[in-house]
Structure formats: C-alpha cells, structure tokens
Amino acid sequence: MDIAIVGTGYVGLVSGACFAEMGVNVTCVDVDASKISRLQLGEIPIYEPGLDIMVKQNLEAGRLHFTTDLSYCIDNVELVFSAVGTPPDEDGSADLKYVFEVARTFAQNIKKYTVLVTKSTVPVGTAKKVKAVIYEELKKRGVDIPFDVASNPEFLKEGNALKDFMNPDRIVIGVENEHARNLMDKLYKPFVQNNYQVLFMDIPSAEMTKYAANSMLATRISFMNDIANLCERVGANVDMVRYGIGTDARIGAKFLYSGCGYGGSCFPKDVRALIQTGRENGYEMCVIEAVEKVNTRQKSVIFDKLFNIFDKKLKGRSVALWGLAFKPETDDMREATALVVIDKLIKAGVKVSVYDPVAIDECKRRIGNVVTYCKNMYETVLDADALVLVTEWEQFHFPDWKRVKKLMKGNVVIDGRNIYRRKDLEKEGIICYGIGK
C-alpha cells in the first residue's frame, strides 16, 4: 500500500516511520527543503528515542521517502495524511491555515479517487471546512474528481511515541462512507490482526475524541495539583491520598501524580482550543477552564516556595535547575514549567544554573544566555543556595546526595515532581520540599 504524509514534525515523522516499519510504502512531504535534505540523509530534526534507527532502516529498505513536492507521489498513493501543525491562535483556538493549505495542495494535484486523512489535532467541524476547500480548488481546475476525507487523530506520548504507535491502546478513525472505511481498514489491518482496538466512528466524534482525551488527562493532573496544594495547608500527604483514591476501580491510579504543572505541545493547546470551541458554540466549558487556571497557577508553585523559604529575599542568590524539557525523553520545551520558573527567578535577581540531558540547545534557542548552562547535573549545583528538580529524567532519580550537599552552598531542595524520599535527603543534611507534602 502507498501513502503520503504531509508534515514531518513530531506526528508526521513518527507516523511515517512506523507505517513504513509495518511494510507500507510511505512518502513524507514537507515544504522545508533543508529539513527534507537532512531526512534524506537519515538525520532526525527532533529527539525521540529509537526514531533515528527506525528512519534509517526504512530509508535503506526503500519503504520511506522524503520530498518537498506532493505531486511527486500523489499519483501512486491511496491515502494522503495531513500531519501539519495547528498552533494556538491569539484567542486560544487552533490555527488551521496549514491544514487548509494541505487541502488546497491535495485538490490541486489529485487525478483519481484519493482520501485525505487529518491526523493533526483539529476542532470539531474541521472536516467540513476541509471538504469545502477541496471542492473550491477542484472547481477552479474545472474537474470533478472523487475524494473523501477522514479523521485519524494521534495519541502519541513524546518520549514513548514509537511504542504508542506500534502498540496502541486504540486507533480512532472517523469516516463518512464504506469506501473510505475500507481503505483505512486495509491500512490498519496488521494492527487488527494483532488484536489492537480500531474504533470506527463519524468524523465529528473522532475529532472530539482527541480533545476530550487530552482534556481528561489534563483534568486529572490539575485536580491532583489542587488537592496537593490543599494537602500542604491541612497537614496531609498527597502521596497517601493518591494511593487512597487510586485503588478505587472507578478512578484508577494513572495520571494522579501531583507536580509543578503540565506543559508540552498537546495538553495546553488542546485545553484552550476546547474552551474556545465551547465559546464559539455558546457553551461555557467550566471544568476545562478551571483546569487551565489551576495549571497556570501551579507553574508558579516552585518560585513561591523559594520566595517563602528565603523569607522573600531572593536577590543575589543562586538556584540550580535539574530539567528543562516539559517531560523526560524529549527536548520539547513548549509550555514547559522550567520557562516560567526561570523567568520568575531572573526577574527576582537570582543567578540560575541549569542542566538537561537533551534540551539545552532548545533552551538556548528560546531564552538565550540569561542562565548558566552546565555540562552535568553536579556542575549545576556548585555553590547553589537551592536545587530545584523540574523534569524527572531517570538520571535525576538517584543522585549522590553526599556529593550534592558538598557542592552546594545551601541545603534546600525543591522536588517539583515528588520523586525523592525526604528522609533520604535529611540524612545528608538536606531539607527537601515536595508538592503536597
């Protein structure tokens, strides 16, 4: 089977590599000629464990191709996936200009029945708008070529994307007729044979499923952060509370971890887009609006703790940060809590030293040299008054606390992800502050 994927960002490149791994002949298309040239050489523009190996293997096997021109491959493909970005607009809604541009290019080049599948995260109703764009372009060409649209939202976690794609919890597909369904069924046949759930539904429901899923996960995080903040005030331990409610089968234990706020390319953007979709349809998304409000406040928790610990006198102090990316196993810093913490500390006159295994270059691109970038986790804490854990990379889980204490000037650790046991640090003369404890 031959398919094309437009957009070689996180979703497009992972999807292309994984489909190729399943034996599909995949052509990935992007307008960025420099990026395509690098990909043709097997060079990966993003950090995702295992992706570089998979791309190189399928390039060598001849199943994965890269081009800047959709017309190069469209005569041979049955499905064209749209995996371009949908960045947030000023009002929080998803900006669909790239999605519509793919639709126009699709309509300008098809010569036979082809299905355009939206893999990007788009608001409910986008498929109708995409169809209208295609009809308009076909009319300009003076042709009547049959086509269909479909929705196939992604559910990939950065840092675990290959496993998520190849071993999915479920595959959601929105279609309008049997013809499109049969093609999508053909593409995902290997997954069906491996007993993975393929859920066919109407397109609006598929579009909504993506937003509902991410908003539910964001809700659980913000809920636990709200509970954690109250736990601190009443003398409870949020970890004990999490155990207590997580054993309830109706609730479950996943996504009940408190911390210093969520970030990334999905949750913040999708929560805001769902709120805006509600407004556009005359409905107030009260719960989701509260989720965003709690998360925005939670990103200031670390600074607030430091402010109070040092009796509101932070100017001239030195603070070390472990972790910059919004989560482990990625260099993505979109909406990262570290950016908020750094900004507040710098404005308070604090000297900030940082270390992250993979996100330092991305941090430099975003904020320049307002902080000191270190080569390893121990260099970061040299002469620091306080250490803050922001991202729970594995290498930060079991540091040499004796060494840390010896290198630091102070003895304060803020555990922004609740991965440390306070008593272990107390043995070394370190005072550890968690979230909700």
Side-chain angles (χ1 to χ4, degrees):
M1 192 172 189
D2 290 75
I3 68 171
I5 298 178
V6 183
T8 58
Y10 189 85
V11 174
L13 188 55
V14 169
S15 299
C18 289
F19 276 132
E21 186 74 10
M22 298 298 290
V24 179
N25 190 42
V26 183
T27 302
C28 292
V29 184
D30 200 293
V31 295
D32 188 334
S34 175
K35 182 190 288 189
I36 290 298
S37 295
R38 290 178 60 194
L39 286 167
Q40 288 171 336
L41 296 173
E43 297 178 9
I44 309 300
I46 59 175
Y47 178 81
E48 177 63 34
L51 182 59
D52 54 343
I53 297 173
M54 185 177 287
V55 167
K56 289 176 183 177
Q57 288 177 341
N58 283 283
L59 269 172
E60 293 171 359
R63 291 189 297 269
L64 186 59
H65 319 271
F66 297 98
T67 181
T68 57
D69 188 359
L70 181 60
S71 65
Y72 165 79
C73 63
I74 200 164
D75 290 349
N76 300 319
V77 304
E78 298 174 88
L79 300 163
V80 175
F81 282 81
S82 176
V84 293
T86 54
D89 220 331
E90 291 183 2
D91 61 0
S93 62
D95 186 347
L96 299 176
K97 61 184 176 184
Y98 302 119
V99 172
F100 295 148
E101 185 58 36
V102 172
R104 278 189 283 271
T105 304
F106 173 85
Q108 290 163 2
N109 287 282
I110 58 172
K111 297 176 183 177
K112 59 177 178 58
Y113 173 82
T114 314
V115 179
L116 179 61
V117 186
T118 300
K119 203 152 189 65
S120 307
T121 301
V122 297
V124 178
T126 298
K128 290 183 180 180
K129 296 176 182 179
V130 166
K131 286 181 71 174
V133 170
I134 296 172
Y135 278 127
E136 181 182 353
E137 291 298 325
L138 291 177
K139 185 177 180 181
K140 289 179 183 178
R141 289 175 59 189
V143 296
D144 184 18
I145 300 173
F147 72 92
D148 273 313
V149 296
S151 175
N152 180 209
E154 53 84 18
F155 298 95
L156 306 177
K157 297 187 294 293
E158 292 190 42
N160 201 51
L162 300 188
K163 182 179 178 181
D164 286 345
F165 195 102
M166 303 300 284
N167 303 277
D169 292 325
R170 78 291 199 198
I171 298 163
V172 174
I173 302 173
V175 292
E176 292 181 319
N177 56 52
E178 284 299 313
H179 199 166
R181 175 173 177 147
N182 289 338
L183 275 179
M184 295 299 288
D185 191 51
K186 177 182 176 183
L187 175 66
Y188 280 109
K189 184 179 178 181
F191 293 88
V192 175
Q193 290 175 331
N194 287 325
N195 295 317
Y196 296 117
Q197 293 188 80
V198 178
L199 310 177
F200 282 97
M201 58 186 71
D202 59 90
I203 292 178
S205 296
E207 292 172 335
M208 180 60 84
T209 295
K210 171 63 175 180
Y211 280 105
N214 278 354
S215 295
M216 172 57 79
L217 295 174
T219 298
R220 288 172 71 94
I221 294 171
S222 281
F223 172 80
M224 287 307 296
N225 284 335
D226 233 7
I227 293 296
N229 295 336
L230 184 57
C231 281
E232 289 188 11
R233 287 159 174 77
V234 301
N237 184 326
V238 73
D239 282 345
M240 298 298 101
V241 175
R242 175 169 57 85
Y243 294 147
I245 67 175
T247 51
D248 187 326
R250 296 167 299 175
I251 297 174
K254 293 184 178 180
F255 268 78
L256 290 182
Y257 291 89
S258 56
C260 51
Y262 63 75
S265 62
C266 294
F267 288 4
K269 175 175 69 72
D270 293 353
V271 164
R272 291 175 197 140
L274 191 56
I275 290 170
Q276 184 60 25
T277 297
R279 290 172 181 163
E280 292 170 358
N281 289 274
Y283 185 75
E284 183 181 3
M285 302 292 290
C286 299
V287 173
I288 306 305
E289 287 185 10
V291 167
E292 183 184 27
K293 181 179 178 181
V294 169
N295 191 59
T296 299
R297 182 178 63 188
Q298 198 68 13
K299 290 183 178 182
S300 297
V301 164
I302 286 175
F303 176 82
D304 294 342
K305 285 180 179 292
L306 288 170
F307 191 68
N308 292 324
I309 289 167
F310 290 106
D311 198 25
K312 303 180 181 180
K313 298 174 183 177
L314 285 175
K315 187 175 181 180
R317 294 193 180 274
S318 177
V319 174
L321 261 64
W322 282 354
L324 295 167
F326 86 94
K327 63 177 288 187
E329 300 299 333
T330 181
D331 62 351
D332 195 342
M333 288 190 66
R334 284 173 287 186
E335 304 275 353
T337 296
L339 293 173
V340 176
V341 176
I342 290 170
D343 181 63
K344 286 181 172 291
L345 289 174
I346 295 296
K347 287 178 179 177
V350 176
K351 177 186 175 183
V352 181
S353 299
V354 303
Y355 172 71
D356 187 284
V358 301
I360 285 180
D361 287 344
E362 176 63 13
C363 192
K364 288 180 180 178
R365 186 184 73 81
R366 287 179 174 272
I367 66 173
N369 293 310
V370 297
V371 299
T372 299
Y373 297 97
C374 298
K375 297 178 181 178
N376 60 64
M377 57 193 285
Y378 294 108
E379 181 184 335
T380 316
V381 302
L382 183 63
D383 293 327
D385 292 293
L387 164 64
V388 176
L389 174 85
V390 182
T391 313
E392 65 276 30
W393 286 90
E394 286 188 1
Q395 64 182 260
F396 298 150
H397 278 252
F398 296 100
D400 182 342
W401 288 117
K402 283 185 171 62
R403 184 178 179 185
V404 170
K405 178 62 170 62
K406 185 176 181 179
L407 291 169
M408 287 181 67
K409 180 168 64 177
N411 66 340
V412 171
V413 170
I414 307 292
D415 179 5
R417 298 299 175 184
N418 284 348
I419 66 172
Y420 300 135
R421 292 193 301 182
R422 182 177 296 175
K423 62 181 181 180
D424 292 340
L425 280 69
E426 288 176 346
K427 291 177 182 178
E428 307 303 331
I430 297 173
I431 304 172
C432 182
Y433 299 85
I435 307 295
K437 301 180 181 181

